[in-house]
Amino acid sequence: ITGGGTGLGYAMATMLSQLGAEVAITSRKMDVLQKAADEIQELTGNKVVALASDVREPSSVKETVSECIEHIGLPHIVVNNAAGNFISPTERLSPNAWRTIVDIVLNGTANVTLDIGKRLIVANQGASFLNISTVFTSSGSGFVCPSAAAKSGVEAITKSLASEWAKYGMRFNCIAP
């Protein structure tokens, strides 16, 4: 679960662990991750692995997925939950602010999905991917333009790979809580 140390990611990690899953949670902040992993593991008694990763960087994702496989095996469920956003009038956003949000939300989802998906294909193993979106991909919303654009891309990835990779036993869903 990317972005698994807080918020929605933490809640999903807790529920999956309560249901008996061994869980790996990732984000950039190891102190937050380890605290979350310890809390969830204490609550459920199931293994929770904290792995620092920057989803914007394919090399970081590759290393983290390899660590995940070492600890708990190739995943059967992948949750792309990492996100970033700036609440700002769009005319005030710098190119770097725009790029940062798109890199985390859209490229991060692609980096994680492609790395794990390719490994799953080689291993002849299916999996379920859950991508997190937002309701403003269809309605739009002021002050969150880069996030809306990036989450729209996440929805397109979800639909495209649901069709393309179904033959490998992979399922793709997207929710907008």
Coordinates of all heavy atoms in Angstrom, one line a residue, residues 87-135:
I87 N -3.4 23.0 -2.5 CA -4.6 23.7 -2.6 C -4.2 25.1 -3.0 O -3.6 25.8 -2.1 CB -5.5 23.7 -1.3 CG1 -5.8 22.3 -0.9 CG2 -6.8 24.5 -1.5 CD1 -6.5 21.4 -1.8
S88 N -4.4 25.5 -4.2 CA -3.9 26.8 -4.7 C -4.6 27.2 -5.9 O -4.9 26.4 -6.8 CB -2.4 26.6 -5.0 OG -1.9 27.8 -5.6
P89 N -4.8 28.5 -6.1 CA -5.2 29.0 -7.4 C -4.2 28.5 -8.5 O -3.0 28.6 -8.3 CB -5.2 30.5 -7.3 CG -5.3 30.8 -5.8 CD -4.6 29.6 -5.2
T90 N -4.7 28.0 -9.5 CA -3.9 27.4 -10.5 C -2.9 28.4 -11.1 O -1.7 28.1 -11.4 CB -4.7 26.7 -11.7 OG1 -5.6 25.8 -11.0 CG2 -3.9 26.0 -12.7
E91 N -3.3 29.6 -11.2 CA -2.4 30.7 -11.8 C -1.2 30.9 -10.9 O -0.2 31.5 -11.3 CB -3.1 32.0 -12.1 CG -3.6 32.7 -10.9 CD -5.0 32.3 -10.4 OE1 -5.5 31.3 -10.8 OE2 -5.6 33.1 -9.6
R92 N -1.3 30.5 -9.7 CA -0.1 30.7 -8.7 C 0.8 29.5 -8.7 O 1.9 29.6 -8.0 CB -0.7 31.0 -7.3 CG -1.4 32.3 -7.2 CD -1.7 32.6 -5.8 NE -2.6 33.8 -5.7 CZ -3.3 34.1 -4.6 NH1 -3.3 33.3 -3.6 NH2 -4.1 35.1 -4.6
L93 N 0.4 28.4 -9.3 CA 1.3 27.2 -9.2 C 2.5 27.4 -10.1 O 2.4 27.8 -11.2 CB 0.5 26.0 -9.7 CG -0.6 25.4 -8.8 CD1 -1.3 24.3 -9.5 CD2 0.0 24.9 -7.5
S94 N 3.6 27.0 -9.6 CA 4.9 27.0 -10.3 C 4.9 25.7 -11.2 O 4.2 24.7 -10.9 CB 6.1 27.0 -9.4 OG 6.2 25.8 -8.7
P95 N 5.7 25.7 -12.2 CA 5.9 24.4 -13.0 C 6.4 23.3 -12.1 O 5.9 22.1 -12.3 CB 7.0 24.8 -14.0 CG 6.8 26.2 -14.2 CD 6.5 26.8 -12.8
N96 N 7.2 23.6 -11.1 CA 7.6 22.5 -10.2 C 6.5 22.0 -9.3 O 6.4 20.8 -9.0 CB 8.8 23.0 -9.3 CG 9.4 21.9 -8.5 OD1 9.8 20.9 -9.0 ND2 9.4 22.1 -7.2
A97 N 5.6 22.8 -8.9 CA 4.5 22.4 -8.1 C 3.6 21.4 -8.9 O 3.2 20.4 -8.4 CB 3.6 23.6 -7.6
W98 N 3.3 21.9 -10.1 CA 2.5 21.0 -11.0 C 3.2 19.6 -11.2 O 2.6 18.6 -11.1 CB 2.3 21.7 -12.4 CG 1.5 20.9 -13.3 CD1 1.9 19.8 -14.1 CD2 0.1 21.0 -13.6 NE1 0.8 19.3 -14.8 CE2 -0.3 20.1 -14.5 CE3 -0.9 21.9 -13.1 CZ2 -1.6 19.9 -15.0 CZ3 -2.2 21.8 -13.6 CH2 -2.5 20.8 -14.5
R99 N 4.5 19.7 -11.6 CA 5.2 18.5 -11.8 C 5.3 17.5 -10.6 O 5.2 16.3 -10.7 CB 6.7 18.8 -12.3 CG 7.5 17.7 -12.7 CD 8.9 18.1 -13.3 NE 9.5 19.2 -12.7 CZ 9.5 20.5 -13.2 NH1 9.0 20.7 -14.3 NH2 10.1 21.4 -12.5
T100 N 5.4 18.1 -9.4 CA 5.5 17.3 -8.2 C 4.2 16.5 -8.0 O 4.2 15.3 -7.7 CB 5.8 18.2 -7.0 OG1 7.1 18.8 -7.2 CG2 5.7 17.4 -5.7
I101 N 3.1 17.2 -8.2 CA 1.8 16.5 -8.0 C 1.6 15.4 -9.0 O 1.2 14.3 -8.7 CB 0.6 17.5 -8.0 CG1 0.7 18.4 -6.8 CG2 -0.7 16.8 -8.0 CD1 -0.1 19.6 -6.9
V102 N 1.9 15.7 -10.3 CA 1.7 14.7 -11.4 C 2.7 13.6 -11.2 O 2.4 12.4 -11.4 CB 1.9 15.4 -12.8 CG1 1.9 14.4 -13.9 CG2 0.7 16.4 -13.0
D103 N 3.9 13.9 -10.7 CA 4.9 12.8 -10.5 C 4.5 11.9 -9.4 O 4.6 10.6 -9.5 CB 6.3 13.4 -10.2 CG 7.1 13.8 -11.4 OD1 6.7 13.5 -12.5 OD2 8.1 14.4 -11.2
I104 N 3.9 12.4 -8.3 CA 3.5 11.5 -7.3 C 2.2 10.7 -7.7 O 2.2 9.5 -7.6 CB 3.2 12.3 -6.0 CG1 4.5 12.9 -5.4 CG2 2.5 11.4 -4.9 CD1 4.3 13.9 -4.3
V105 N 1.2 11.4 -8.1 CA -0.1 10.8 -8.3 C -0.1 9.9 -9.6 O -0.4 8.7 -9.5 CB -1.2 11.9 -8.4 CG1 -2.5 11.3 -8.8 CG2 -1.3 12.6 -7.1
L106 N 0.2 10.5 -10.7 CA 0.1 9.7 -12.0 C 1.4 8.9 -12.2 O 1.2 7.7 -12.4 CB -0.1 10.7 -13.2 CG -0.1 10.1 -14.5 CD1 -1.3 9.1 -14.6 CD2 -0.3 11.2 -15.6
N107 N 2.5 9.5 -12.2 CA 3.7 8.7 -12.5 C 4.0 7.7 -11.4 O 4.5 6.6 -11.7 CB 4.9 9.6 -12.8 CG 4.7 10.5 -14.0 OD1 4.0 10.1 -14.9 ND2 5.3 11.7 -14.0
G108 N 3.7 8.1 -10.2 CA 3.9 7.1 -9.1 C 3.1 5.9 -9.2 O 3.5 4.8 -9.1
T109 N 1.8 6.1 -9.6 CA 0.9 5.0 -9.8 C 1.4 4.1 -11.0 O 1.5 2.9 -10.9 CB -0.5 5.5 -10.1 OG1 -1.0 6.1 -9.0 CG2 -1.5 4.3 -10.5
A110 N 1.9 4.8 -12.0 CA 2.4 4.0 -13.2 C 3.7 3.3 -12.8 O 3.9 2.1 -13.1 CB 2.7 5.0 -14.3
N111 N 4.6 3.9 -12.1 CA 5.8 3.3 -11.7 C 5.6 2.0 -10.9 O 6.2 1.0 -11.1 CB 6.7 4.2 -10.9 CG 7.3 5.4 -11.7 OD1 7.4 5.2 -12.9 ND2 7.6 6.5 -11.1
V112 N 4.7 2.1 -9.9 CA 4.4 0.9 -9.0 C 3.7 -0.2 -9.8 O 4.1 -1.3 -9.8 CB 3.6 1.4 -7.8 CG1 3.0 0.2 -7.0 CG2 4.4 2.3 -6.9
T113 N 2.7 0.2 -10.6 CA 1.9 -0.7 -11.3 C 2.8 -1.4 -12.4 O 2.7 -2.7 -12.5 CB 0.7 0.0 -12.0 OG1 -0.1 0.6 -11.0 CG2 -0.1 -1.0 -12.8
L114 N 3.6 -0.7 -13.1 CA 4.4 -1.4 -14.1 C 5.4 -2.3 -13.6 O 5.7 -3.4 -14.1 CB 5.0 -0.3 -15.0 CG 4.0 0.5 -15.9 CD1 4.7 1.6 -16.6 CD2 3.3 -0.4 -16.9
D115 N 6.1 -1.8 -12.5 CA 7.1 -2.7 -11.9 C 6.5 -4.0 -11.4 O 7.0 -5.1 -11.7 CB 7.9 -2.0 -10.8 CG 9.0 -2.8 -10.2 OD1 8.8 -3.7 -9.4 OD2 10.2 -2.5 -10.7
I116 N 5.5 -3.9 -10.6 CA 4.9 -5.1 -10.0 C 4.2 -5.9 -11.1 O 4.3 -7.1 -11.1 CB 3.9 -4.7 -8.9 CG1 4.6 -4.1 -7.7 CG2 3.1 -6.0 -8.4 CD1 3.8 -3.6 -6.6
G117 N 3.5 -5.2 -12.0 CA 2.8 -5.9 -13.1 C 3.7 -6.8 -13.9 O 3.4 -8.0 -14.2
K118 N 4.8 -6.2 -14.3 CA 5.8 -7.0 -15.1 C 6.3 -8.2 -14.3 O 6.5 -9.3 -14.9 CB 6.9 -6.1 -15.5 CG 6.5 -5.1 -16.6 CD 7.7 -4.1 -16.9 CE 7.2 -3.0 -17.8 NZ 8.3 -2.1 -18.1
R119 N 6.5 -8.1 -13.0 CA 7.0 -9.2 -12.2 C 5.9 -10.3 -12.1 O 6.2 -11.5 -12.1 CB 7.4 -8.7 -10.8 CG 8.7 -7.8 -10.8 CD 9.0 -7.4 -9.4 NE 9.8 -6.2 -9.4 CZ 10.9 -6.1 -8.6 NH1 11.3 -7.2 -7.9 NH2 11.6 -5.0 -8.6
L120 N 4.7 -9.8 -12.0 CA 3.6 -10.8 -11.9 C 3.4 -11.6 -13.2 O 3.2 -12.8 -13.2 CB 2.2 -10.0 -11.6 CG 2.1 -9.4 -10.2 CD1 0.9 -8.4 -10.2 CD2 1.9 -10.5 -9.2
I121 N 3.6 -10.9 -14.3 CA 3.5 -11.6 -15.6 C 4.6 -12.7 -15.7 O 4.3 -13.8 -16.1 CB 3.6 -10.6 -16.8 CG1 2.4 -9.7 -16.9 CG2 3.9 -11.3 -18.1 CD1 2.5 -8.5 -17.7
V122 N 5.8 -12.3 -15.3 CA 6.9 -13.3 -15.4 C 6.6 -14.5 -14.4 O 6.9 -15.6 -14.8 CB 8.2 -12.6 -15.0 CG1 9.3 -13.7 -14.8 CG2 8.7 -11.7 -16.1
A123 N 6.0 -14.2 -13.3 CA 5.8 -15.2 -12.3 C 4.5 -16.0 -12.6 O 4.1 -16.9 -11.8 CB 5.7 -14.6 -10.9
N124 N 3.7 -15.6 -13.6 CA 2.4 -16.2 -13.9 C 1.5 -16.1 -12.7 O 0.8 -17.1 -12.4 CB 2.6 -17.6 -14.4 CG 1.4 -18.1 -15.1 OD1 0.6 -17.3 -15.7 ND2 1.1 -19.4 -15.1
Q125 N 1.5 -15.0 -12.1 CA 0.6 -14.8 -10.9 C -0.3 -13.6 -11.1 O 0.1 -12.5 -11.6 CB 1.5 -14.5 -9.7 CG 0.7 -14.2 -8.4 CD 1.6 -13.7 -7.2 OE1 2.6 -14.4 -7.0 NE2 1.2 -12.7 -6.5
G126 N -1.6 -13.8 -10.8 CA -2.5 -12.7 -10.9 C -2.5 -11.8 -9.6 O -1.8 -12.2 -8.7
A127 N -3.2 -10.7 -9.7 CA -3.3 -9.8 -8.5 C -4.4 -8.9 -8.8 O -4.9 -8.7 -9.9 CB -2.0 -9.1 -8.3
S128 N -4.8 -8.2 -7.7 CA -5.8 -7.1 -7.8 C -5.1 -5.8 -7.5 O -4.4 -5.7 -6.5 CB -6.9 -7.4 -6.7 OG -7.7 -8.5 -7.1
F129 N -5.4 -4.8 -8.3 CA -4.8 -3.5 -8.1 C -6.0 -2.6 -7.8 O -7.0 -2.6 -8.5 CB -4.2 -3.0 -9.4 CG -2.9 -3.6 -9.7 CD1 -2.8 -4.9 -10.3 CD2 -1.7 -3.0 -9.5 CE1 -1.6 -5.5 -10.6 CE2 -0.5 -3.6 -9.8 CZ -0.4 -4.9 -10.4
L130 N -5.8 -1.8 -6.8 CA -6.8 -0.8 -6.4 C -6.1 0.6 -6.5 O -5.2 0.8 -5.7 CB -7.3 -1.0 -5.0 CG -8.3 0.0 -4.5 CD1 -9.6 0.0 -5.3 CD2 -8.7 -0.3 -3.0
N131 N -6.6 1.4 -7.3 CA -6.1 2.8 -7.5 C -7.1 3.8 -6.9 O -8.3 3.6 -7.1 CB -5.8 3.1 -9.0 CG -4.8 2.1 -9.6 OD1 -3.9 1.7 -8.9 ND2 -4.9 1.8 -10.8
I132 N -6.5 4.7 -6.2 CA -7.3 5.7 -5.5 C -7.4 7.0 -6.4 O -6.4 7.5 -6.8 CB -6.7 6.1 -4.1 CG1 -6.5 4.8 -3.3 CG2 -7.7 7.0 -3.4 CD1 -7.7 3.9 -3.1
S133 N -8.6 7.4 -6.6 CA -8.9 8.6 -7.4 C -9.6 9.6 -6.6 O -9.6 9.6 -5.4 CB -9.7 8.2 -8.7 OG -9.8 9.3 -9.5
T134 N -10.4 10.5 -7.3 CA -11.2 11.5 -6.6 C -12.4 11.8 -7.4 O -12.4 11.7 -8.6 CB -10.3 12.8 -6.3 OG1 -11.1 13.7 -5.6 CG2 -9.8 13.4 -7.6
V135 N -13.4 12.3 -6.8 CA -14.6 12.6 -7.5 C -14.5 13.8 -8.4 O -15.2 14.0 -9.4 CB -15.8 12.9 -6.5 CG1 -16.1 11.7 -5.7 CG2 -15.5 14.1 -5.5

